[in-house]
Amino acid sequence: MKQILLLILLFSITACKKEFPDLLNKELKYSDKDFSGAHFQDFSVYENVTTKNSKIPKAKTNTKKQYPWEIAISQKRAEETADQIKKSITAITDGASDYNKEPSSSIYFYALVDNFYTKEQLSEYEKTESITTQKSILDYIKATVKSYELTNEKNEKIKLNQNGLGLNLGGFETKNGKLLQGIAFQTMGMGNSEYLRLKGHVVIEIEIPVEYEKEEISENNIGDTFTIGGQKVQILEFDADVIHYKLFDSDAENFSIYVDNYGKIKIPENTYTKFRNNQGLDYDSFLKKYKEFGLENMQYPDKGNFVSVLRSDDSQLEKVFFYSPKASKLVKKTIRIPVNIQIK
């Protein structure tokens, strides 16, 4: 009798952690014609938020998978890599613009580094002239623009679309008996501007992680709240191919998530709550509740909680990792890069 009562008590505690009804089990399939309907895009978001798909296959175990926090690197090695980037980095245009002699709307900051290869990687390169067996710390370097001053051949001031820079790992070069790999940080557009000649400078900051903090999440963590990257997160749902989590007082994430092949939707918490408490609506019923959901002329609030719905594209989720570099262990370096590019 005591065992039965204990089981009932445990079930009640688990159930209390879950705020919303179970997700509906449904495979989502739409045609191009569907999206021509009024507000159908919003309806597809609604269905993504309120459903799961348990028919999707379970993930195959990959014993060779290497997680970011398993990339061992010392503080000294990270500092050496940052110094190598600073010493060799230069501003170039993309290869396509050079080849076609056409104006460009992006800049690449290209550098060479040589201090991160293992014996296994070097052996692989000797045999295949490539390295695919392992990732290196270069895959996890981040760079942002801190300031810049750029003008094109028309003496127009260039304004970059965003401060974040894309990461591109280049090919290999052998120099002075050392195997070097190219690494490039790419600006993500210049609005309507472009250039054949670009002059000025850009100041970037690179960050190289040495250690990570991480949280391993499974279905047992529904309702749990934790802090990672200085950000408070709550797990709202974890079922089949989806995980839902809430960000407190932010729509920007200071962490990364390790899941292969996924899509993500992010909406304000009040909209998420209305969707979850009105599950199972067909398209016509959804339209009738459109105003009630507050979707007409909806604008995302500047403040408040946001919910992300992450959906795997090819397998059921068994565990998901939230991870972030430890701020106290980040190696940072600010680099001022002269820019003098001519497309001929």
Side-chain angles (χ1 to χ4, degrees), residues 36-50:
S36 65
H39 305 304
F40 193 87
Q41 179 70 45
D42 294 324
F43 177 68
S44 70
V45 171
Y46 162 79
E47 289 214 307
N48 266 280
V49 167
T50 58

Side-chain angles (χ1 to χ4, degrees), residues 30-179:
Y30 308 122
S31 67
D32 292 340
K33 184 179 178 181
D34 290 330
F35 284 93
S36 65
H39 305 304
F40 193 87
Q41 179 70 45
D42 294 324
F43 177 68
S44 70
V45 171
Y46 162 79
E47 289 214 307
N48 266 280
V49 167
T50 58
T51 65
K52 63 180 180 181
N53 180 12
S54 62
K55 292 183 179 180
I56 200 166
K58 292 192 174 181
K60 294 180 181 179
T61 303
N62 183 357
T63 56
K64 295 183 179 180
K65 182 176 289 186
Q66 191 176 31
Y67 297 110
W69 48 92
E70 294 174 341
I71 307 292
I73 186 171
S74 67
Q75 191 88 7
K76 180 182 177 182
R77 206 170 192 190
E79 289 170 355
E80 289 172 351
T81 299
D83 287 340
Q84 287 181 1
I85 292 174
K86 182 175 182 178
K87 183 178 179 180
S88 64
I89 198 163
T90 186
I92 60 175
T93 190
D94 61 285
S97 295
D98 272 337
Y99 182 81
N100 296 315
K101 312 302 180 190
E102 295 177 347
S104 178
S105 59
S106 64
I107 317 169
Y108 284 78
F109 304 107
Y110 182 78
L112 287 168
V113 294
D114 71 354
N115 70 346
F116 61 95
Y117 296 109
T118 64
K119 290 181 179 179
E120 291 79 8
Q121 288 174 314
L122 289 171
S123 176
E124 181 189 7
Y125 182 78
E126 288 174 1
K127 294 175 182 177
T128 66
E129 294 190 353
S130 65
I131 295 177
T132 60
T133 53
Q134 288 181 311
K135 290 189 174 183
S136 77
I137 195 62
L138 297 186
D139 293 273
Y140 302 105
I141 293 178
K142 290 186 177 180
T144 54
V145 173
K146 308 304 289 184
S147 64
Y148 62 92
E149 188 172 320
L150 298 165
T151 55
N152 64 10
E153 71 278 4
K154 299 176 184 177
N155 206 33
E156 297 171 334
K157 286 193 172 183
I158 299 296
K159 185 175 181 180
L160 302 179
N161 287 354
Q162 61 187 64
N163 293 331
L165 294 171
L167 175 65
N168 295 268
L169 294 185
F172 299 95
E173 294 183 28
T174 302
K175 194 173 183 179
N176 298 326
K178 289 184 176 181
L179 179 63

Side-chain angles (χ1 to χ4, degrees), residues 304-329:
N305 300 335
F306 281 75
V307 174
S308 290
V309 174
L310 183 152
R311 196 172 199 119
S312 173
D313 293 335
D314 54 18
S315 62
Q316 290 191 37
L317 303 177
E318 293 184 356
K319 56 185 177 182
V320 172
F321 293 99
F322 289 67
Y323 67 97
S324 177
K326 289 185 178 179
S328 61
K329 296 289 185 178

